[in-house]
Amino acid sequence: MASSSSPNIEPQNEKDHIFRFSPLPQSETQVTDTTDENHEDLPLSVSVESTITRSTTPEDYYDSEDILSISARTCEMFQDLLGLTLLIMLIFLPLYKRLGSPNDDPVPPVFVINSMYLSNFTTGTQGLAATWDAKFTVVNTNVSSIYFRRVEFTLFYKQNPEDAISSASSYPFYLDLGEYVKLHLKFTTRGEGMENDDQPLVEEMKKDKKKDGSLSFGMKVKVEAIYYGETWVSDVIMSPHCEDLKVQFVANMDSGKLAMPNRNFSVPVQWKPFSFF
């Protein structure tokens, strides 16, 4: 192994400044020499520097009861501060949300039904039994961020929302500006759940299917959301709806699919009335 010479490194302090050591003053050497000459016969005198250890008395520390008292007071102050903060938030946050809302009408997101498949369609004395498998796309086109906290879809026959057949709900989701989400929902009815008043509706659907080989449905959505602007936050209510969703059946089959896919919903939207709750 090759030997390496140790570099001459000057010690440094924590600020990377070099300690520079001054040589002993010449006068000290001279004084020593003079003293040695004048006092050669004197006995050697040794000076010992004593070290005093300071004893610690109990008075230097807090008593345990004092420490507990200080901790209790600190806890009480923290609780008071937390309670005051929550009170301020409870009073001023709803007011800030309302005052911070823009004056313009809210811009709605885009709702699209991409496809819908109807299967196991049967009618009889027990009512209607069927399954609708539908896919949707929701796009945020103009808002900094939207939180969809409640999204409920209702399927109805033809163009009458009162003739509701089935419903389904989506999980909550966030959409930032330019983002979109795909939803896959199933609407089902088993017949026995329908009331006697719905029997005329079932008979009408049976006749329409036999006559045209197709059925027409509509869909409405109830949406509760929160809009996040750059400097404001506000609750929003939306009522997307889409009518005349025609399902064309396969010949001699109890299943069919949406005749015109990728249909856009109309999306009425408004600011939610102000409330403290």
Side-chain angles (χ1 to χ4, degrees):
M1 178 182 298
S3 62
S4 59
S5 60
S6 300
N8 185 16
I9 301 176
E10 295 182 297
Q12 298 182 359
N13 63 8
E14 59 183 358
K15 294 186 179 179
D16 296 330
H17 293 166
I18 298 177
F19 285 113
R20 300 192 181 276
F21 298 94
S22 301
L24 290 174
Q26 296 297 326
S27 59
E28 182 177 346
T29 306
Q30 296 173 355
V31 171
T32 303
D33 294 341
T34 305
T35 304
D36 291 341
E37 292 177 356
N38 297 332
H39 303 280
E40 291 180 355
D41 298 333
L42 292 179
L44 180 64
S45 175
V46 179
S47 175
V48 179
E49 183 177 345
S50 63
T51 303
I52 300 176
T53 303
R54 180 177 179 271
S55 61
T56 305
T57 60
E59 287 77 13
D60 293 331
Y61 297 91
Y62 284 107
D63 188 79
S64 59
E65 293 183 357
D66 294 336
I67 295 176
L68 291 176
S69 176
I70 293 174
S71 299
R73 289 197 299 270
T74 303
C75 243
E76 290 177 359
M77 291 176 61
F78 177 76
Q79 291 176 352
D80 293 342
L81 181 60
L82 180 60
L84 180 60
T85 303
L86 293 176
L87 180 62
I88 292 175
M89 290 179 63
L90 181 63
I91 294 176
F92 290 101
L93 181 59
L95 185 60
Y96 164 76
K97 289 172 62 178
R98 183 58 181 171
L99 295 178
S101 300
N103 296 325
D104 298 335
D105 292 334
V107 178
V110 177
F111 276 76
V112 181
I113 179 168
N114 302 114
S115 63
M116 184 167 65
Y117 295 90
L118 175 57
S119 59
N120 302 322
F121 181 84
T122 58
T123 56
T125 57
Q126 296 297 323
L128 170 67
T131 299
W132 291 262
D133 190 299
K135 294 182 179 180
F136 307 87
T137 301
V138 184
V139 186
N140 175 13
T141 60
N142 208 307
V143 183
S144 295
S145 183
I146 306 176
Y147 173 52
F148 295 80
R149 60 182 178 183
R150 182 182 179 189
V151 185
E152 296 181 352
F153 293 78
T154 300
L155 182 70
F156 53 89
Y157 186 54
K158 291 186 177 179
Q159 298 184 5
N160 189 1
E162 295 181 359
D163 294 333
I165 299 171
S166 183
S167 61
S169 299
S170 166
Y171 53 84
F173 54 90
Y174 275 97
L175 286 181
D176 290 332
L177 179 61
E179 292 184 341
Y180 67 90
V181 64
K182 296 281 188 179
L183 304 178
H184 185 186
L185 302 175
K186 287 187 176 182
F187 303 82
T188 59
T189 179
R190 301 183 181 278
E192 64 270 14
M194 302 188 72
E195 301 177 357
N196 294 332
D197 295 341
D198 296 326
Q199 194 60 36
L201 176 61
V202 174
E203 292 296 328
E204 182 181 355
M205 295 174 67
K206 181 179 180 180
K207 291 179 181 179
D208 290 344
K209 177 181 177 296
K210 184 177 180 180
K211 178 181 178 181
D212 299 329
S214 65
L215 292 175
S216 179
F217 300 96
M219 193 172 293
K220 63 179 180 180
V221 190
K222 183 176 182 180
V223 179
E224 294 182 1
I226 302 176
Y227 273 31
Y228 295 89
E230 294 182 356
T231 59
W232 53 268
V233 179
S234 186
D235 294 326
V236 173
I237 297 176
M238 307 179 205
S239 304
H241 58 87
C242 188
E243 291 80 20
D244 196 21
L245 299 173
K246 186 178 181 180
V247 173
Q248 186 70 46
F249 284 86
V250 180
N252 301 321
M253 298 289 290
D254 294 328
S255 61
K257 64 179 181 179
L258 190 63
M260 293 184 294
N262 301 319
R263 293 278 305 278
N264 282 39
F265 283 70
S266 298
V267 188
V269 57
Q270 62 180 358
W271 302 122
K272 185 177 180 180
F274 170 69
S275 174
F276 278 101
F277 305 98

